[in-house]
Amino acid sequence: MESEITMYSFQSNPHKQQPVKKTVLRQYRELVDAVKGTLLPSTPKEGWIRTVRKALDMSGAQLADRAGMTRNRVSVLERREADGDITLNQLKQLAEVLDCDFSYTLKPKKAVIDTMQDRALKLAEIEVKKASKNMFLEAQSVSKEKENILISELAEDIMRAGGRKLWGKNKEDKVF
């Protein structure tokens, strides 16, 4: 998948920046959501380097020679890949030598908007429960139904506020 985020600049008119920011955000979300439904192959137990090398009937020494490395270095990199301890640049280099395309993906578990709404609801629930606790102590508790309405309304406010409110630290300076 080849897609790019297009950035527009309206520096001569600063009032146009908000729509531009929204357009850029929408483009990022479309790009990320497009990956959500795709099937990605699982990594073989031995890792891709060793698996492709063996599929090509190429010895470790031959791969090392083609990559300008020692046989021992290739062996180490194959083990490190299997252990999840290899750099992207090392993988990219060996993929090139093995005549493979290299790609990596962060595949979202759900649509971006769903992740954001879940987060907003979680934050709203925490804030409303904190407030409810204080109100209970002051004998001003609200019903569960009203509490759910407050959570929903606060979640909408958090969604409208966007990134800083949605992903920032809470008052106790904790990231959750």
Side-chain angles (χ1 to χ4, degrees):
M1 172 182 10
E2 301 248 346
S3 184
E4 291 185 22
I5 302 300
T6 306
M7 299 284 288
Y8 299 99
S9 177
F10 295 105
Q11 292 179 351
S12 60
N13 188 350
H15 301 293
K16 293 277 185 184
Q17 289 180 351
Q18 190 62 21
V20 171
K21 183 179 177 183
K22 285 181 178 178
T23 300
V24 171
L25 269 175
R26 186 175 36 75
Q27 288 175 327
Y28 274 115
R29 289 175 186 162
E30 288 171 0
L31 181 64
V32 172
D33 284 343
V35 176
K36 185 180 72 59
T38 60
L39 294 176
L40 299 175
S42 58
T43 304
K45 185 178 178 184
E46 293 181 307
W48 284 110
I49 299 168
R50 182 170 288 161
T51 300
V52 170
R53 180 178 60 75
K54 285 182 173 180
L56 293 170
D57 197 23
M58 184 187 296
S59 71
Q62 290 168 322
L63 176 59
D65 190 42
R66 294 172 59 91
M69 300 175 181
T70 64
R71 168 69 187 105
N72 187 45
R73 180 74 178 149
V74 166
S75 179
V76 166
L77 291 176
E78 287 178 342
R79 277 195 312 271
R80 290 179 75 183
E81 183 204 4
D83 294 341
D85 190 27
I86 190 167
T87 68
L88 293 177
N89 284 335
Q90 291 166 330
L91 272 174
K92 209 181 292 183
Q93 178 189 7
L94 290 172
E96 184 67 32
V97 173
L98 291 167
D99 197 26
C100 293
D101 288 328
F102 175 78
S103 67
Y104 80 94
T105 306
L106 296 180
K107 184 179 170 189
K109 295 176 183 169
K110 51 189 161 188
V112 170
I113 194 69
D114 293 339
T115 299
M116 294 173 70
Q117 286 174 339
D118 289 350
R119 172 71 178 179
L121 277 172
K122 184 178 177 181
L123 291 173
E125 196 174 296
I126 290 169
E127 288 301 315
V128 168
K129 291 210 185 276
K130 259 195 268 178
S132 292
K133 195 175 185 179
N134 291 338
M135 292 173 75
F136 175 77
L137 293 174
E138 297 170 4
Q140 299 174 342
S141 63
V142 294
S143 69
K144 190 71 180 167
E145 184 182 344
K146 286 183 181 174
E147 190 176 282
N148 287 337
I149 291 170
L150 289 171
I151 289 170
S152 179
E153 289 174 352
L154 184 57
E156 286 176 26
D157 289 346
I158 291 170
M159 285 292 289
R160 271 193 294 277
R164 288 187 183 182
K165 183 84 172 174
L166 197 58
W167 300 108
K169 296 176 181 179
N170 65 7
K171 290 178 183 168
E172 290 84 33
D173 213 27
K174 293 179 184 172
V175 177
F176 56 93

